[in-house]
mmCIF file of all heavy atoms in Angstrom:
data_model
loop_
_atom_site.group_PDB
_atom_site.id
_atom_site.type_symbol
_atom_site.label_atom_id
_atom_site.label_comp_id
_atom_site.label_asym_id
_atom_site.label_seq_id
_atom_site.Cartn_x
_atom_site.Cartn_y
_atom_site.Cartn_z
ATOM 1 N N GLY A 102 196.715 199.976 -18.015
ATOM 2 C CA GLY A 102 196.767 201.314 -17.442
ATOM 3 C C GLY A 102 197.318 201.302 -16.031
ATOM 4 O O GLY A 102 196.990 200.416 -15.235
ATOM 5 N N ILE A 103 198.174 202.283 -15.712
ATOM 6 C CA ILE A 103 198.784 202.394 -14.384
ATOM 7 C C ILE A 103 198.753 203.860 -13.967
ATOM 8 O O ILE A 103 199.003 204.746 -14.783
ATOM 9 C CB ILE A 103 200.245 201.899 -14.376
ATOM 10 C CG1 ILE A 103 200.331 200.408 -14.697
ATOM 11 C CG2 ILE A 103 200.917 202.178 -13.041
ATOM 12 C CD1 ILE A 103 201.750 199.892 -14.798
ATOM 13 N N GLU A 104 198.471 204.113 -12.697
ATOM 14 C CA GLU A 104 198.587 205.469 -12.175
ATOM 15 C C GLU A 104 198.728 205.447 -10.658
ATOM 16 O O GLU A 104 198.220 204.535 -9.987
ATOM 17 C CB GLU A 104 197.368 206.307 -12.566
ATOM 18 C CG GLU A 104 197.511 207.798 -12.293
ATOM 19 C CD GLU A 104 198.730 208.431 -12.923
ATOM 20 O OE1 GLU A 104 199.833 208.257 -12.365
ATOM 21 O OE2 GLU A 104 198.598 209.085 -13.977
ATOM 22 N N PHE A 105 199.455 206.451 -10.133
ATOM 23 C CA PHE A 105 199.611 206.638 -8.695
ATOM 24 C C PHE A 105 198.680 207.751 -8.229
ATOM 25 O O PHE A 105 198.382 208.692 -8.979
ATOM 26 C CB PHE A 105 201.055 207.015 -8.349
ATOM 27 C CG PHE A 105 202.035 205.879 -8.458
ATOM 28 C CD1 PHE A 105 202.647 205.584 -9.666
ATOM 29 C CD2 PHE A 105 202.357 205.112 -7.346
ATOM 30 C CE1 PHE A 105 203.557 204.548 -9.771
ATOM 31 C CE2 PHE A 105 203.267 204.073 -7.434
ATOM 32 C CZ PHE A 105 203.873 203.790 -8.645
ATOM 33 N N SER A 106 198.240 207.652 -6.981
ATOM 34 C CA SER A 106 197.441 208.709 -6.386
ATOM 35 C C SER A 106 198.304 209.953 -6.187
ATOM 36 O O SER A 106 199.540 209.864 -6.169
ATOM 37 C CB SER A 106 196.865 208.248 -5.051
ATOM 38 O OG SER A 106 197.903 207.955 -4.125
ATOM 39 N N PRO A 107 197.692 211.131 -6.014
ATOM 40 C CA PRO A 107 198.489 212.356 -5.840
ATOM 41 C C PRO A 107 199.472 212.281 -4.686
ATOM 42 O O PRO A 107 200.572 212.833 -4.776
ATOM 43 C CB PRO A 107 197.426 213.435 -5.606
ATOM 44 C CG PRO A 107 196.211 212.922 -6.285
ATOM 45 C CD PRO A 107 196.255 211.430 -6.106
ATOM 46 N N ASP A 108 199.089 211.598 -3.592
ATOM 47 C CA ASP A 108 199.995 211.513 -2.441
ATOM 48 C C ASP A 108 200.895 210.283 -2.492
ATOM 49 O O ASP A 108 201.603 209.994 -1.535
ATOM 50 C CB ASP A 108 199.201 211.534 -1.133
ATOM 51 C CG ASP A 108 198.357 210.281 -0.927
ATOM 52 O OD1 ASP A 108 198.313 209.427 -1.844
ATOM 53 O OD2 ASP A 108 197.739 210.160 0.142
ATOM 54 N N ASN A 109 200.850 209.546 -3.616
ATOM 55 C CA ASN A 109 201.723 208.391 -3.875
ATOM 56 C C ASN A 109 201.413 207.185 -3.001
ATOM 57 O O ASN A 109 202.147 206.193 -3.031
ATOM 58 C CB ASN A 109 203.208 208.773 -3.691
ATOM 59 C CG ASN A 109 203.572 210.032 -4.429
ATOM 60 O OD1 ASN A 109 203.445 210.109 -5.642
ATOM 61 N ND2 ASN A 109 204.004 211.055 -3.695
ATOM 62 N N SER A 110 200.342 207.229 -2.216
ATOM 63 C CA SER A 110 200.041 206.136 -1.289
ATOM 64 C C SER A 110 199.287 204.996 -1.939
ATOM 65 O O SER A 110 199.232 203.897 -1.383
ATOM 66 C CB SER A 110 199.231 206.662 -0.099
ATOM 67 O OG SER A 110 197.920 207.039 -0.500
ATOM 68 N N LYS A 111 198.695 205.229 -3.114
ATOM 69 C CA LYS A 111 197.898 204.198 -3.773
ATOM 70 C C LYS A 111 198.391 204.011 -5.206
ATOM 71 O O LYS A 111 198.785 204.967 -5.879
ATOM 72 C CB LYS A 111 196.417 204.576 -3.801
ATOM 73 C CG LYS A 111 195.819 204.979 -2.457
ATOM 74 C CD LYS A 111 195.824 203.863 -1.458
ATOM 75 C CE LYS A 111 195.115 204.243 -0.177
ATOM 76 N NZ LYS A 111 195.753 205.348 0.563
ATOM 77 N N LEU A 112 198.353 202.753 -5.651
ATOM 78 C CA LEU A 112 198.661 202.410 -7.032
ATOM 79 C C LEU A 112 197.401 201.822 -7.652
ATOM 80 O O LEU A 112 196.754 200.953 -7.056
ATOM 81 C CB LEU A 112 199.800 201.388 -7.106
ATOM 82 C CG LEU A 112 200.132 200.836 -8.495
ATOM 83 C CD1 LEU A 112 200.729 201.928 -9.374
ATOM 84 C CD2 LEU A 112 201.085 199.652 -8.398
ATOM 85 N N TYR A 113 197.072 202.290 -8.848
ATOM 86 C CA TYR A 113 195.895 201.804 -9.567
ATOM 87 C C TYR A 113 196.345 201.083 -10.837
ATOM 88 O O TYR A 113 197.239 201.559 -11.544
ATOM 89 C CB TYR A 113 194.964 202.956 -9.916
ATOM 90 C CG TYR A 113 194.338 203.606 -8.688
ATOM 91 C CD1 TYR A 113 195.005 204.630 -8.012
ATOM 92 C CD2 TYR A 113 193.110 203.176 -8.204
ATOM 93 C CE1 TYR A 113 194.443 205.208 -6.874
ATOM 94 C CE2 TYR A 113 192.551 203.752 -7.075
ATOM 95 C CZ TYR A 113 193.223 204.762 -6.411
ATOM 96 O OH TYR A 113 192.672 205.333 -5.292
ATOM 97 N N VAL A 114 195.706 199.942 -11.106
ATOM 98 C CA VAL A 114 196.020 199.160 -12.303
ATOM 99 C C VAL A 114 194.708 198.792 -12.987
ATOM 100 O O VAL A 114 193.767 198.305 -12.346
ATOM 101 C CB VAL A 114 196.797 197.882 -11.952
ATOM 102 C CG1 VAL A 114 197.033 197.042 -13.216
ATOM 103 C CG2 VAL A 114 198.127 198.216 -11.293
ATOM 104 N N GLY A 115 194.637 199.030 -14.293
ATOM 105 C CA GLY A 115 193.481 198.640 -15.086
ATOM 106 C C GLY A 115 193.845 197.535 -16.059
ATOM 107 O O GLY A 115 194.913 197.560 -16.677
ATOM 108 N N LEU A 116 192.957 196.559 -16.198
ATOM 109 C CA LEU A 116 193.183 195.438 -17.107
ATOM 110 C C LEU A 116 192.467 195.691 -18.423
ATOM 111 O O LEU A 116 191.273 196.013 -18.440
ATOM 112 C CB LEU A 116 192.672 194.133 -16.494
ATOM 113 C CG LEU A 116 193.224 193.734 -15.122
ATOM 114 C CD1 LEU A 116 192.715 192.350 -14.734
ATOM 115 C CD2 LEU A 116 194.745 193.769 -15.103
ATOM 116 N N LEU A 117 193.196 195.544 -19.508
ATOM 117 C CA LEU A 117 192.632 195.748 -20.840
ATOM 118 C C LEU A 117 191.772 194.556 -21.253
ATOM 119 O O LEU A 117 190.686 194.715 -21.797
ATOM 120 C CB LEU A 117 193.747 195.966 -21.859
ATOM 121 C CG LEU A 117 193.305 196.296 -23.279
ATOM 122 C CD1 LEU A 117 192.614 197.649 -23.338
ATOM 123 C CD2 LEU A 117 194.493 196.268 -24.232
ATOM 124 N N ARG A 118 192.259 193.370 -20.995
ATOM 125 C CA ARG A 118 191.489 192.150 -21.269
ATOM 126 C C ARG A 118 191.075 191.539 -19.935
ATOM 127 O O ARG A 118 191.793 191.621 -18.962
ATOM 128 C CB ARG A 118 192.312 191.157 -22.086
ATOM 129 C CG ARG A 118 192.760 191.723 -23.440
ATOM 130 C CD ARG A 118 193.483 190.686 -24.270
ATOM 131 N NE ARG A 118 193.966 191.260 -25.528
ATOM 132 C CZ ARG A 118 195.187 191.745 -25.706
ATOM 133 N NH1 ARG A 118 196.051 191.727 -24.704
ATOM 134 N NH2 ARG A 118 195.544 192.240 -26.865
ATOM 135 N N GLN A 119 189.887 190.930 -19.903
ATOM 136 C CA GLN A 119 189.293 190.494 -18.634
ATOM 137 C C GLN A 119 189.205 191.694 -17.695
ATOM 138 O O GLN A 119 189.585 191.650 -16.535
ATOM 139 C CB GLN A 119 190.106 189.358 -18.002
ATOM 140 C CG GLN A 119 190.373 188.177 -18.903
ATOM 141 C CD GLN A 119 189.101 187.458 -19.301
ATOM 142 O OE1 GLN A 119 188.175 187.304 -18.513
ATOM 143 N NE2 GLN A 119 189.045 187.018 -20.560
ATOM 144 N N GLY A 120 188.663 192.779 -18.231
ATOM 145 C CA GLY A 120 188.804 194.097 -17.638
ATOM 146 C C GLY A 120 188.367 194.251 -16.190
ATOM 147 O O GLY A 120 187.255 193.872 -15.812
ATOM 148 N N LYS A 121 189.246 194.827 -15.399
ATOM 149 C CA LYS A 121 188.993 195.160 -14.001
ATOM 150 C C LYS A 121 189.879 196.351 -13.653
ATOM 151 O O LYS A 121 190.878 196.620 -14.329
ATOM 152 C CB LYS A 121 189.329 193.991 -13.062
ATOM 153 C CG LYS A 121 188.617 192.673 -13.367
ATOM 154 C CD LYS A 121 189.124 191.565 -12.456
ATOM 155 C CE LYS A 121 188.487 190.228 -12.767
ATOM 156 N NZ LYS A 121 188.923 189.681 -14.078
ATOM 157 N N VAL A 122 189.541 197.045 -12.562
ATOM 158 C CA VAL A 122 190.394 198.105 -12.029
ATOM 159 C C VAL A 122 190.675 197.794 -10.573
ATOM 160 O O VAL A 122 189.745 197.567 -9.781
ATOM 161 C CB VAL A 122 189.742 199.497 -12.157
ATOM 162 C CG1 VAL A 122 190.619 200.552 -11.493
ATOM 163 C CG2 VAL A 122 189.515 199.853 -13.617
ATOM 164 N N PHE A 123 191.969 197.779 -10.207
ATOM 165 C CA PHE A 123 192.387 197.437 -8.849
ATOM 166 C C PHE A 123 193.102 198.621 -8.196
ATOM 167 O O PHE A 123 193.760 199.420 -8.861
ATOM 168 C CB PHE A 123 193.342 196.246 -8.855
ATOM 169 C CG PHE A 123 192.714 194.961 -9.325
ATOM 170 C CD1 PHE A 123 193.043 194.431 -10.568
ATOM 171 C CD2 PHE A 123 191.814 194.273 -8.527
ATOM 172 C CE1 PHE A 123 192.479 193.248 -11.011
ATOM 173 C CE2 PHE A 123 191.235 193.087 -8.960
ATOM 174 C CZ PHE A 123 191.570 192.569 -10.199
ATOM 175 N N GLN A 124 192.995 198.677 -6.873
ATOM 176 C CA GLN A 124 193.763 199.612 -6.061
ATOM 177 C C GLN A 124 194.688 198.825 -5.137
ATOM 178 O O GLN A 124 194.302 197.782 -4.600
ATOM 179 C CB GLN A 124 192.842 200.481 -5.206
ATOM 180 C CG GLN A 124 193.575 201.513 -4.344
ATOM 181 C CD GLN A 124 192.699 202.051 -3.221
ATOM 182 O OE1 GLN A 124 192.486 201.390 -2.208
ATOM 183 N NE2 GLN A 124 192.184 203.256 -3.422
ATOM 184 N N TYR A 125 195.922 199.326 -4.967
ATOM 185 C CA TYR A 125 196.900 198.728 -4.059
ATOM 186 C C TYR A 125 197.396 199.811 -3.113
ATOM 187 O O TYR A 125 197.710 200.922 -3.545
ATOM 188 C CB TYR A 125 198.068 198.121 -4.840
ATOM 189 C CG TYR A 125 197.636 197.056 -5.816
ATOM 190 C CD1 TYR A 125 197.266 197.398 -7.121
ATOM 191 C CD2 TYR A 125 197.561 195.721 -5.430
ATOM 192 C CE1 TYR A 125 196.846 196.433 -8.018
ATOM 193 C CE2 TYR A 125 197.139 194.748 -6.325
ATOM 194 C CZ TYR A 125 196.777 195.114 -7.617
ATOM 195 O OH TYR A 125 196.342 194.153 -8.498
ATOM 196 N N ASN A 126 197.485 199.465 -1.832
ATOM 197 C CA ASN A 126 197.934 200.410 -0.815
ATOM 198 C C ASN A 126 199.446 200.357 -0.707
ATOM 199 O O ASN A 126 200.011 199.465 -0.078
ATOM 200 C CB ASN A 126 197.288 200.096 0.527
ATOM 201 C CG ASN A 126 197.661 201.105 1.601
ATOM 202 O OD1 ASN A 126 198.344 202.100 1.325
ATOM 203 N ND2 ASN A 126 197.228 200.861 2.822
ATOM 204 N N MET A 127 200.122 201.329 -1.332
ATOM 205 C CA MET A 127 201.584 201.348 -1.330
ATOM 206 C C MET A 127 202.152 201.676 0.042
ATOM 207 O O MET A 127 203.341 201.453 0.298
ATOM 208 C CB MET A 127 202.086 202.373 -2.353
ATOM 209 C CG MET A 127 201.699 202.068 -3.788
ATOM 210 S SD MET A 127 202.422 200.525 -4.373
ATOM 211 C CE MET A 127 204.159 200.971 -4.384
ATOM 212 N N ALA A 128 201.312 202.186 0.945
ATOM 213 C CA ALA A 128 201.763 202.512 2.301
ATOM 214 C C ALA A 128 201.620 201.321 3.244
ATOM 215 O O ALA A 128 201.917 201.440 4.441
ATOM 216 C CB ALA A 128 200.974 203.699 2.844
ATOM 217 N N ALA A 129 201.191 200.167 2.714
ATOM 218 C CA ALA A 129 200.975 198.996 3.577
ATOM 219 C C ALA A 129 202.271 198.445 4.149
ATOM 220 O O ALA A 129 202.257 197.744 5.160
ATOM 221 C CB ALA A 129 200.230 197.911 2.798
ATOM 222 N N GLY A 130 203.397 198.737 3.494
ATOM 223 C CA GLY A 130 204.689 198.306 4.024
ATOM 224 C C GLY A 130 205.386 197.322 3.121
ATOM 225 O O GLY A 130 205.953 197.703 2.089
ATOM 226 N N THR A 131 205.332 196.061 3.432
ATOM 227 C CA THR A 131 206.050 195.035 2.681
ATOM 228 C C THR A 131 205.339 194.739 1.370
ATOM 229 O O THR A 131 204.130 195.001 1.230
ATOM 230 C CB THR A 131 206.140 193.749 3.504
ATOM 231 O OG1 THR A 131 204.814 193.226 3.706
ATOM 232 C CG2 THR A 131 206.803 194.009 4.852
ATOM 233 N N PRO A 132 206.058 194.176 0.398
ATOM 234 C CA PRO A 132 205.383 193.761 -0.830
ATOM 235 C C PRO A 132 204.206 192.829 -0.568
ATOM 236 O O PRO A 132 203.160 192.963 -1.210
ATOM 237 C CB PRO A 132 206.497 193.065 -1.614
ATOM 238 C CG PRO A 132 207.746 193.755 -1.175
ATOM 239 C CD PRO A 132 207.534 194.037 0.277
ATOM 240 N N ALA A 133 204.354 191.910 0.380
ATOM 241 C CA ALA A 133 203.257 190.992 0.692
ATOM 242 C C ALA A 133 202.033 191.754 1.187
ATOM 243 O O ALA A 133 200.892 191.444 0.818
ATOM 244 C CB ALA A 133 203.707 189.969 1.727
ATOM 245 N N ALA A 134 202.256 192.760 2.017
ATOM 246 C CA ALA A 134 201.143 193.557 2.536
ATOM 247 C C ALA A 134 200.499 194.388 1.437
ATOM 248 O O ALA A 134 199.274 194.572 1.416
ATOM 249 C CB ALA A 134 201.626 194.444 3.674
ATOM 250 N N ILE A 135 201.315 194.908 0.523
ATOM 251 C CA ILE A 135 200.779 195.674 -0.606
ATOM 252 C C ILE A 135 199.903 194.781 -1.479
ATOM 253 O O ILE A 135 198.792 195.160 -1.870
ATOM 254 C CB ILE A 135 201.917 196.303 -1.421
ATOM 255 C CG1 ILE A 135 202.646 197.364 -0.587
ATOM 256 C CG2 ILE A 135 201.389 196.914 -2.723
ATOM 257 C CD1 ILE A 135 203.902 197.903 -1.229
ATOM 258 N N LEU A 136 200.377 193.584 -1.774
ATOM 259 C CA LEU A 136 199.601 192.652 -2.587
ATOM 260 C C LEU A 136 198.308 192.262 -1.880
ATOM 261 O O LEU A 136 197.255 192.119 -2.506
ATOM 262 C CB LEU A 136 200.436 191.417 -2.906
ATOM 263 C CG LEU A 136 201.673 191.640 -3.770
ATOM 264 C CD1 LEU A 136 202.488 190.366 -3.902
ATOM 265 C CD2 LEU A 136 201.290 192.168 -5.144
ATOM 266 N N ALA A 137 198.375 192.087 -0.570
ATOM 267 C CA ALA A 137 197.192 191.699 0.197
ATOM 268 C C ALA A 137 196.155 192.807 0.266
ATOM 269 O O ALA A 137 194.979 192.553 0.566
ATOM 270 C CB ALA A 137 197.599 191.286 1.609
ATOM 271 N N SER A 138 196.567 194.043 -0.021
ATOM 272 C CA SER A 138 195.640 195.179 0.049
ATOM 273 C C SER A 138 194.796 195.325 -1.211
ATOM 274 O O SER A 138 193.947 196.226 -1.285
ATOM 275 C CB SER A 138 196.429 196.472 0.290
ATOM 276 O OG SER A 138 197.129 196.866 -0.889
ATOM 277 N N GLU A 139 194.997 194.472 -2.199
ATOM 278 C CA GLU A 139 194.286 194.586 -3.475
ATOM 279 C C GLU A 139 192.776 194.640 -3.269
ATOM 280 O O GLU A 139 192.202 193.831 -2.543
ATOM 281 C CB GLU A 139 194.639 193.410 -4.377
ATOM 282 C CG GLU A 139 193.892 193.406 -5.706
ATOM 283 C CD GLU A 139 194.160 192.153 -6.524
ATOM 284 O OE1 GLU A 139 195.176 192.111 -7.228
ATOM 285 O OE2 GLU A 139 193.343 191.202 -6.425
ATOM 286 N N ILE A 140 192.145 195.608 -3.918
ATOM 287 C CA ILE A 140 190.688 195.700 -3.914
ATOM 288 C C ILE A 140 190.227 196.098 -5.303
ATOM 289 O O ILE A 140 190.820 196.967 -5.948
ATOM 290 C CB ILE A 140 190.181 196.698 -2.851
ATOM 291 C CG1 ILE A 140 188.646 196.730 -2.852
ATOM 292 C CG2 ILE A 140 190.765 198.094 -3.065
ATOM 293 C CD1 ILE A 140 188.064 197.516 -1.701
ATOM 294 N N ARG A 141 189.186 195.429 -5.764
ATOM 295 C CA ARG A 141 188.628 195.768 -7.071
ATOM 296 C C ARG A 141 187.646 196.920 -6.919
ATOM 297 O O ARG A 141 186.811 196.932 -6.008
ATOM 298 C CB ARG A 141 187.939 194.553 -7.688
ATOM 299 C CG ARG A 141 187.384 194.835 -9.085
ATOM 300 C CD ARG A 141 186.778 193.608 -9.721
ATOM 301 N NE ARG A 141 186.173 193.956 -11.003
ATOM 302 C CZ ARG A 141 185.534 193.086 -11.797
ATOM 303 N NH1 ARG A 141 185.451 191.810 -11.436
ATOM 304 N NH2 ARG A 141 185.004 193.479 -12.936
ATOM 305 N N LEU A 142 187.722 197.882 -7.838
ATOM 306 C CA LEU A 142 186.933 199.097 -7.715
ATOM 307 C C LEU A 142 185.806 199.217 -8.719
ATOM 308 O O LEU A 142 184.757 199.795 -8.423
ATOM 309 C CB LEU A 142 187.840 200.324 -7.862
ATOM 310 C CG LEU A 142 188.964 200.474 -6.841
ATOM 311 C CD1 LEU A 142 189.844 201.646 -7.228
ATOM 312 C CD2 LEU A 142 188.397 200.663 -5.441
ATOM 313 N N ASP A 143 185.986 198.744 -9.936
ATOM 314 C CA ASP A 143 184.985 198.979 -10.973
ATOM 315 C C ASP A 143 183.718 198.182 -10.662
ATOM 316 O O ASP A 143 183.770 197.142 -10.006
ATOM 317 C CB ASP A 143 185.549 198.583 -12.339
ATOM 318 C CG ASP A 143 185.741 197.086 -12.456
ATOM 319 O OD1 ASP A 143 186.770 196.590 -11.949
ATOM 320 O OD2 ASP A 143 184.876 196.409 -13.027
ATOM 321 N N PRO A 144 182.564 198.659 -11.142
ATOM 322 C CA PRO A 144 181.302 197.987 -10.829
ATOM 323 C C PRO A 144 180.911 196.885 -11.798
ATOM 324 O O PRO A 144 179.838 196.306 -11.654
ATOM 325 C CB PRO A 144 180.294 199.146 -10.910
ATOM 326 C CG PRO A 144 180.853 200.027 -11.980
ATOM 327 C CD PRO A 144 182.349 199.945 -11.831
ATOM 328 N N PHE A 145 181.748 196.585 -12.774
ATOM 329 C CA PHE A 145 181.366 195.656 -13.830
ATOM 330 C C PHE A 145 181.740 194.228 -13.428
ATOM 331 O O PHE A 145 182.833 193.750 -13.713
ATOM 332 C CB PHE A 145 182.034 196.038 -15.145
ATOM 333 C CG PHE A 145 181.730 197.438 -15.563
ATOM 334 C CD1 PHE A 145 182.692 198.437 -15.461
ATOM 335 C CD2 PHE A 145 180.472 197.772 -16.045
ATOM 336 C CE1 PHE A 145 182.405 199.735 -15.842
ATOM 337 C CE2 PHE A 145 180.181 199.081 -16.430
ATOM 338 C CZ PHE A 145 181.143 200.055 -16.328
ATOM 339 N N THR A 146 180.844 193.568 -12.768
ATOM 340 C CA THR A 146 181.115 192.229 -12.251
ATOM 341 C C THR A 146 180.415 191.185 -13.107
ATOM 342 O O THR A 146 179.771 191.494 -14.108
ATOM 343 C CB THR A 146 180.642 192.121 -10.802
ATOM 344 O OG1 THR A 146 179.235 192.431 -10.752
ATOM 345 C CG2 THR A 146 181.397 193.085 -9.914
ATOM 346 N N GLY A 147 180.533 189.926 -12.683
ATOM 347 C CA GLY A 147 179.886 188.842 -13.402
ATOM 348 C C GLY A 147 180.551 188.569 -14.729
ATOM 349 O O GLY A 147 181.777 188.561 -14.857
#
């Protein structure tokens, strides 16, 4: 699953297998900075 925020500043990616949901800050600038902004959002850990 993929989706952009309404203001296009965030990219969300969901994993079907080994399931997780990540947010990426598209306004961070460089690709390296965007990748470094990765944060996991879903509460299903462990």
Side-chain angles (χ1 to χ4, degrees):
I103 296 176
E104 191 55 282
F105 287 87
S106 62
D108 68 355
N109 311 300
S110 69
K111 309 296 185 296
L112 174 68
Y113 294 87
V114 176
L116 304 186
L117 184 66
R118 300 184 183 94
Q119 307 296 322
K121 304 175 183 69
V122 176
F123 295 108
Q124 181 197 77
Y125 301 88
N126 183 5
M127 298 297 293
T131 65
I135 294 172
L136 295 174
S138 73
E139 177 186 276
I140 182 171
R141 182 177 176 181
L142 299 174
D143 69 279
F145 304 106
T146 58

